[in-house]
Amino acid sequence: MKTVTATELKTKTGETLDAAQREPVAIEKNGRAIAVIVPQADYDRLMRIENDYWLARVEAAEKSGYVGTEATASFFKEMLKGNAEA
């Protein structure tokens, strides 16, 4: 992965963006990595992977008996209401 400093990014924005279309480019400021510019296709793929991951977590929760946020919130409101009356 190519690495450029924040100053280089400022002075060579076009070149850096061209490079980022082919591979990720790390940006450093004061010797520390602060960001990575990735090709749009890579970003889109990562977002699909993340969305698929969370969808799988939701499906697994539902299969294990989780009933959803509204039902859970109602349950706890009733439980708290009952505790307040006791």
Side-chain angles (χ1 to χ4, degrees), residues 34-55:
I34 59 165
V36 176
I37 302 172
V38 296
Q40 184 68 46
D42 289 357
Y43 177 80
D44 293 341
R45 182 177 50 82
L46 290 170
M47 290 298 98
R48 278 194 307 276
I49 290 168
E50 184 175 14
N51 289 340
D52 290 347
Y53 168 79
W54 288 113
L55 180 59

Side-chain angles (χ1 to χ4, degrees), residues 4-61:
V4 298
T5 66
T7 302
E8 289 174 314
L9 176 61
K10 193 175 190 180
T11 60
K12 298 180 181 179
T13 304
E15 291 174 37
T16 304
L17 292 175
D18 288 342
Q21 289 179 355
R22 295 182 296 279
E23 66 175 326
V25 177
I27 310 300
E28 287 185 350
K29 185 173 183 178
N30 299 324
R32 291 186 8 236
I34 59 165
V36 176
I37 302 172
V38 296
Q40 184 68 46
D42 289 357
Y43 177 80
D44 293 341
R45 182 177 50 82
L46 290 170
M47 290 298 98
R48 278 194 307 276
I49 290 168
E50 184 175 14
N51 289 340
D52 290 347
Y53 168 79
W54 288 113
L55 180 59
R57 294 287 306 263
V58 166
E59 290 170 351

Side-chain angles (χ1 to χ4, degrees), residues 70-80:
E70 288 181 30
T72 302
S74 294
F75 171 79
F76 281 111
K77 283 180 185 175
E78 286 300 314
M79 291 293 294
L80 291 171

Side-chain angles (χ1 to χ4, degrees), residues 81-86:
K81 183 177 165 184
N83 287 340
E85 293 174 358

